[in-house]
Amino acid sequence: MRSFTILPLLCMCFVIIVDGRRGLFHSSLGNTFPNYPCQADPSLSPFKLEPTYTMSPSANGQRICFIGAAIQRCPTEDPCCTQADFYKLLLRVRPTCRRAIRSVTVNGLAAPTPTFEVYGLARDMALFKLPRLNLTTNNATGSKICITLRDPCPNLAALCPEGDGSCTYSIGQSTSPHRCCPTNKFGSVPPPPPPASATAVNPVPSKPLPLPTTAPRQKAVPSRRNLANGPAPYTGTFPYVSACNQTTGLMPFRLAGSPVPSRTISGGNVYCFTLEAAPCADSSSSCCSSNLLKVDWWSYDTCRGSVRAFVDKVPYPVTWDQGGTFRLTKLNYSPDEVAAQPKQICIELRKDGPCDSIQKFCRLGSTGGCTYALYDGSQACCPTANTPALRR
């Protein structure tokens, strides 16, 4: 007869209860933000940030400033309301952004260098801690906290996992025994406005749509001399110039064909366009004899820091503008010059960046095509078109 040994099963179960509250008390054992046990309910704290923030250019990326909101009412019987301070600010960020914050200031004075932590069961979450802000209910309202961002995450859309310019933050305390971490969000992006009219050029759809395989031709408009009556309606979207004529084919240039993919020795993904001469939609327009000053592509702010450009295999400086506008400027090509020798314009995308393919780089580029605009020197002419789908 066989004998069996019955082993006891040991179950270890934990319920976290602090001051009788279960609610939003976070445990560091899971994939939560912040990454330590604390009371995250924002209604229990007098502190929060204004929902909007300001941006200004920096040498490599952007300077982002947050403003302390007015002290809010909270339940005075709760220690997170009456005994906590605003000692540090925690930002939920992408794990790839370790070196993104170059500097921190509080009310114009330098603050300590932030610390970076990767956490989570899969090590796929990260945060920045901005310590020693030393704000209280006496001085938090209106206080200005600024961070200067750089590559590889030179703006909030690239820094925070939301990807739309908004970000989740938490406020940490200093020495109080009550673990308070009111958690909130700033910078939620409003939905885009509706198109100006049913015939408007480049309306923003509610979600990305495939590009047509050929650029639609629009009816030619009068010469720039009658520009007040000529341009297609401006919709407030790409291209972000309200007084230019967007009619496709208005200048004697175009990006011919679809982007051609290749790779660099370092493994970066390269896509090349051919800038060539093209017939004008309206030969009587002064736009038809204009030189080409710059080319814009409609991209995403998250792609800043992930792209380089080459013209005829020579590195070329790039700039960025509002709405994810990627730009090559100061080209100054004449129609005769491009007709005699077309130009090769290549974009190299970092394989470890957030925009590692042309589909991710070009807005509305799910098929591998791109929306672009050409400009003359006066910026009165900005013919806009789409390249065909990617050639494989």
Side-chain angles (χ1 to χ4, degrees), residues 14 20 35 51 105 136 200 202-203 210 220 225 242 251 266 291 298 303 332 347 354 365 373 386:
F14 300 90
N35 61 337
T105 62
T136 68
N202 296 327
R225 291 183 294 271
S242 59
M251 291 176 66
S266 62
N291 287 356
W298 198 14
C303 297
N332 295 320
I347 296 172
N386 301 322

Side-chain angles (χ1 to χ4, degrees), residues 302-340:
T302 51
C303 297
R304 296 188 185 213
S306 298
V307 57
R308 295 194 301 167
F310 300 83
V311 176
D312 291 339
K313 300 182 180 180
V314 177
Y316 200 90
V318 305
T319 59
W320 288 84
D321 206 337
Q322 64 174 312
T325 299
F326 173 74
R327 175 173 298 149
L328 301 187
T329 190
K330 298 182 180 179
L331 298 172
N332 295 320
Y333 296 145
S334 68
D336 291 340
E337 180 182 1
V338 175

Side-chain angles (χ1 to χ4, degrees), residues 60 94-101 149-155 158-159 302-306 350 352-354:
N60 182 15
R94 302 177 195 266
T96 54
C97 296
R98 177 178 294 273
R99 297 176 178 84
I101 297 183
L149 297 177
R150 60 183 173 184
D151 289 342
C153 305
N155 51 66
L159 181 74
T302 51
C303 297
R304 296 188 185 213
S306 298
R350 271 183 25 212
D352 60 343

Side-chain angles (χ1 to χ4, degrees), residues 108-132:
L109 301 177
T113 302
T115 59
F116 182 84
E117 296 182 22
V118 175
Y119 67 99
L121 300 178
R123 307 294 291 171
D124 58 350
M125 304 178 72
L127 59 81
F128 270 112
K129 290 182 181 179
L130 284 61
R132 292 167 55 186

Side-chain angles (χ1 to χ4, degrees), residues 26-80:
H26 283 172
S27 168
S28 62
L29 298 178
N31 289 336
T32 58
F33 173 82
N35 61 337
Y36 59 89
C38 59
Q39 176 53 253
D41 188 346
S43 69
L44 301 179
S45 171
F47 303 108
K48 65 178 180 179
L49 297 177
E50 293 287 355
T52 59
Y53 56 88
T54 61
M55 300 181 296
S56 57
S58 69
N60 182 15
Q62 289 180 329
R63 184 171 183 258
I64 312 294
C65 292
F66 319 109
I67 303 297
I71 298 301
Q72 63 179 359
R73 292 184 178 180
C74 50
T76 55
E77 68 275 8
D78 195 294
C80 288

Side-chain angles (χ1 to χ4, degrees), residues 63-64 66 86-89 101-115 128-135 143-148:
R63 184 171 183 258
I64 312 294
F66 319 109
F86 190 155
Y87 176 75
K88 62 187 175 183
L89 177 67
I101 297 183
R102 174 181 293 174
S103 62
V104 181
T105 62
V106 179
N107 295 324
L109 301 177
T113 302
T115 59
F128 270 112
K129 290 182 181 179
L130 284 61
R132 292 167 55 186
L133 304 182
N134 299 325
L135 299 176
S143 287
K144 191 174 186 179
I145 305 168
C146 297
I147 58 176
T148 299

